[in-house]
């Protein structure tokens, strides 16, 4: 006998919620039927293309006490989203969410609650929007032992950096443009400081590396230090600048995870360099399968809604399954943001003889070798930018050396240090 469609409630009727509702109402997947929409100020949210038999409400209790099968949580943040999801699971409803912050902070706990109640929690849309990276890591690469996940996880930062690169724009102008086009929030702090990407990286580490990392344990560095001149020097080095998120298991067998979100130089030949605008890309490196790349549109209502509806269809077609979509993950002994890599360091100085010698002397004290010195011609000598590239060194050792260098009196603005990918 043909099963009845699963009844679906949407909590949160913003950009993504509207896109999910449009797919459910216009495409009408046979496995699903939208029955409830919950949102504050619901009267101003109503739209004529939603079927008249859908109930609009401001009270989540109306959803939790109904015969809805699946709650779609799209309000974001920790509160009241966590409470609503807990109550929905306890009431015997499965949950689909795009809430990266919540999954990064308490995904394992919520998965356990879902299991105890014979229900499921799906979260494909929490990382990289419409790119099926969660299922790809869990299922497509299940036969490999993943050692590293890395990528471009924030479309706002990638839009800003690629516009700075292509149009030679200052950071502030590129940011304003991103805000005008809706790619950046009025307060873009979570994006440009790396907080958004680190929540996504924590989820990828849990799913792909089986390492349970708290987002606050991941080192973050802002992209707002990047200037147009950095792209000029990067091109001379065969590279460009991207906000890079990466997590890697130690190869020594210990339970150490290296994780960071920061701007970095990436080679032009790398897939990371070819990601333009607000797109996302995730690279998974396995012991046996090597590198696998997932890329596409990682932001926006429609791509994210596709991931949500895909989770809904999977749930509806596998009602009896209690498959755990958040595999068992262990907490590592330590999470550190120190990677051994070559580095790019830009200095901006009031030019005078002896500057390179002074820098080289301090670096030598820390056993750090200079690889090259680059300087563009025609720069103002009172505010001269030049770059020193360094051979592979440890991040923490370099930071100690740079603190000593910053004490020298020729700087006219703070130096900028970026790791360089091989």
């Amino acid at each position: 006998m043909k099963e009845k469609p699963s009844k679906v409630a949407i909590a949160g009727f913003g950009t993504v919620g509207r896109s999910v509702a449009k797919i459910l109402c216009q495409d009408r997947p046979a496995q699903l039927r939208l029955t409830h929409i919950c949102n504050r100020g619901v009267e101003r949210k109503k739209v004529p293309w939603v079927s008249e038999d859908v109930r609009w409400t401001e009270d989540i209790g109306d959803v939790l006490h109904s015969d809805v099968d699946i709650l779609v949580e799209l309000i974001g943040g920790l509160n009241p989203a966590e409470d609503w999801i807990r109550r929905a699971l306890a009431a015997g409803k499965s949950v689909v969410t795009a809430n990266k912050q919540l999954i990064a902070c308490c995904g394992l706990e919520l998965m356990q609650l879902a299991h105890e109640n014979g229900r499921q929690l799906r979260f494909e849309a929490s990382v990289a929007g419409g790119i099926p990276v969660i299922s790809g890591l869990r299922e497509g690469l299940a036969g490999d032992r993943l050692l590293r996940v890395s990528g471009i996880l924030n479309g706002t930062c990638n839009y800003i950096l690629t516009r700075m690169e292509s149009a030679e724009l200052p950071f502030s102008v590129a940011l304003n443009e991103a805000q005008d086009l809706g790619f950046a929030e009025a307060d873009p702090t979570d994006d440009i400081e790396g907080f958004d990407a680190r929540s996504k990286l924590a989820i990828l580490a849990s799913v792909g590396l089986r390492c349970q990392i708290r987002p606050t344990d991941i080192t973050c560095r802002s992209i707002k230090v990047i200037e147009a001149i950095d792209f000029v020097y990067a091109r001379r080095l065969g590279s460009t600048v991207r906000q890079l998120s990466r997590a890697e298991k130690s190869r020594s067998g210990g339970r150490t995870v290296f994780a960071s979100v920061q701007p970095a130089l990436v080679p032009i030949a790398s897939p990371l360099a070819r990601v333009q605008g607000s797109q996302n890309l995730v690279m998974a490196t396995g012991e046996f399968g090597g590198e696998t790349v997932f890329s596409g549109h990682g932001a926006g209502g429609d791509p994210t809604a596709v991931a949500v509806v895909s989770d809904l269809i999977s749930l509806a077609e596998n009602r009896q399954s209690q498959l755990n979509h958040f595999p068992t993950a262990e907490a590592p002994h330590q999470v550190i943001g120190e990677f051994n890599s070559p580095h790019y360091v830009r200095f901006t100085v009031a030019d005078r003889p002896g500057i390179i010698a002074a820098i080289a002397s301090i670096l030598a004290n820390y056993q750090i070798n200079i690889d090259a010195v680059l300087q563009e011609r025609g720069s103002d000598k009172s505010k001269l930018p030049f770059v020193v590239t360094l051979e592979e060194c440890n991040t923490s050792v370099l930071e100690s050396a740079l603190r000593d260098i910053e004490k020298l009196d020729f700087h006219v603005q703070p130096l900028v240090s970026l790791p360089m990918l091989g």
Side-chain angles (χ1 to χ4, degrees):
M1 293 180 62
K2 187 176 179 179
E3 289 192 3
K4 293 181 179 179
S6 294
K7 296 179 180 179
V8 177
I10 297 174
F13 201 66
T15 301
V16 178
R18 286 174 63 92
S19 293
V20 171
K22 278 187 178 181
I23 295 175
L24 296 180
C25 292
Q26 296 176 8
D27 237 27
R28 295 185 179 275
Q31 311 93 324
L32 305 169
R33 182 162 72 88
L34 179 63
T35 62
H36 292 71
I37 295 174
C38 180
N39 201 92
R40 289 181 301 179
V42 75
E43 288 301 320
R44 59 182 172 81
K45 288 285 187 176
K46 288 184 177 180
V47 288
W49 44 263
V50 170
S51 173
E52 292 183 357
D53 61 356
V54 173
R55 179 173 180 180
W56 296 77
T57 180
E58 297 185 14
D59 185 1
I60 190 63
D62 291 340
V63 173
L64 299 178
H65 297 133
S66 72
D67 60 352
V68 160
D69 299 299
I70 309 170
L71 171 68
V72 179
E73 182 276 305
L74 298 172
I75 61 174
L78 296 178
N79 295 306
E82 181 182 359
D83 176 61
W84 289 9
I85 290 175
R86 287 181 179 278
R87 290 168 61 190
L89 293 171
K93 306 177 192 309
S94 291
V95 174
V96 173
T97 180
N99 194 329
K100 56 186 172 289
Q101 186 180 4
L102 183 64
I103 296 300
C105 290
C106 39
L108 279 176
E109 188 178 344
L110 292 174
M111 281 305 308
Q112 181 61 35
L113 180 61
H115 178 75
E116 291 170 358
N117 287 278
R119 292 296 175 263
Q120 295 187 44
L121 173 67
R122 299 290 185 95
F123 49 92
E124 184 67 66
S126 66
V127 179
I131 307 171
V133 64
I134 299 297
S135 58
L137 294 178
R138 278 196 68 260
E139 299 164 16
L141 297 177
D144 205 348
R145 183 182 298 118
L146 298 186
L147 306 172
R148 181 191 310 119
V149 289
S150 61
I152 294 171
L153 304 181
N154 184 272
T156 298
C157 287
N158 205 60
Y159 180 86
I160 291 170
L161 292 174
T162 54
R163 285 296 290 155
M164 290 177 69
E165 178 182 27
S166 63
E168 299 181 357
L169 299 177
F171 174 83
S172 59
V173 174
L175 171 59
N176 289 337
E177 184 179 287
Q179 290 172 320
D180 290 342
L181 293 172
F183 291 127
E185 302 288 343
D187 179 1
T189 301
D190 282 357
D191 296 318
I192 65 176
E193 297 298 328
F195 304 149
D196 172 82
R198 76 180 181 185
S199 291
K200 298 171 182 175
L201 184 61
I203 296 171
L204 293 179
S206 293
V207 174
L209 304 182
R210 306 291 180 92
C211 295
Q212 182 63 19
I213 302 175
R214 292 173 300 187
T216 51
D217 289 338
I218 298 174
T219 298
C220 286
R221 292 188 173 88
S222 177
I223 68 163
K224 65 185 177 184
V225 300
I226 303 301
E227 297 183 2
I229 190 64
D230 292 309
F231 291 97
V232 174
Y233 283 119
R235 280 194 294 271
R236 290 182 60 177
L237 294 164
S239 300
T240 188
V241 183
R242 295 289 185 265
Q243 185 201 54
L244 178 65
S245 303
R246 52 180 173 167
E248 181 176 335
K249 284 182 176 180
S250 61
R251 295 177 181 267
S252 61
R255 285 169 54 193
T256 297
V257 174
F258 304 92
S260 69
V261 176
Q262 61 185 318
L265 261 67
V266 300
I268 291 295
S270 168
L272 295 164
R274 297 193 288 271
V275 181
Q276 297 295 311
S278 61
Q279 291 187 326
N280 282 188
L281 180 145
V282 176
M283 298 174 63
T285 304
E287 182 176 347
F288 307 105
E291 286 188 346
T292 302
V293 176
F294 305 85
S295 66
H297 291 285
D302 290 345
T304 306
V306 168
V308 170
V309 175
S310 296
D311 272 345
L312 286 170
I313 291 173
S314 177
L315 278 175
E317 292 181 344
N318 298 279
R319 296 188 195 203
Q320 304 306 315
S321 172
Q322 294 188 21
L323 185 64
N324 190 336
H325 274 244
F326 207 104
T328 302
E330 294 183 347
H333 289 313
Q334 59 179 340
V335 180
I336 57 179
E338 301 172 6
F339 289 85
N340 286 337
S341 67
H343 281 77
Y344 161 108
V345 185
R346 172 170 55 83
F347 301 91
T348 307
V349 303
D351 196 23
R352 71 185 192 208
I355 289 177
I356 298 295
I359 292 171
S361 176
I362 293 175
L363 292 172
N365 290 338
Y366 287 89
Q367 303 297 304
I368 298 173
N369 291 331
I370 291 177
D371 179 57
V373 178
L374 295 82
Q375 181 179 321
E376 287 289 296
R377 293 184 177 183
S379 299
D380 181 356
K381 295 292 186 178
S382 67
K383 191 179 180 181
L384 175 68
F386 71 93
V387 165
V388 174
T389 61
L390 306 173
E391 294 182 3
E392 184 174 299
C393 58
N394 181 270
T395 305
S396 62
V397 175
L398 175 60
E399 288 176 348
S400 296
L402 294 181
R403 281 194 291 270
D404 287 351
I405 292 173
E406 285 178 323
K407 296 174 184 176
L408 301 175
D409 63 0
F410 46 68
H411 303 284
V412 296
Q413 68 183 54
L415 58 83
V416 173
S417 174
L418 306 176
M420 301 171 64
L421 266 65

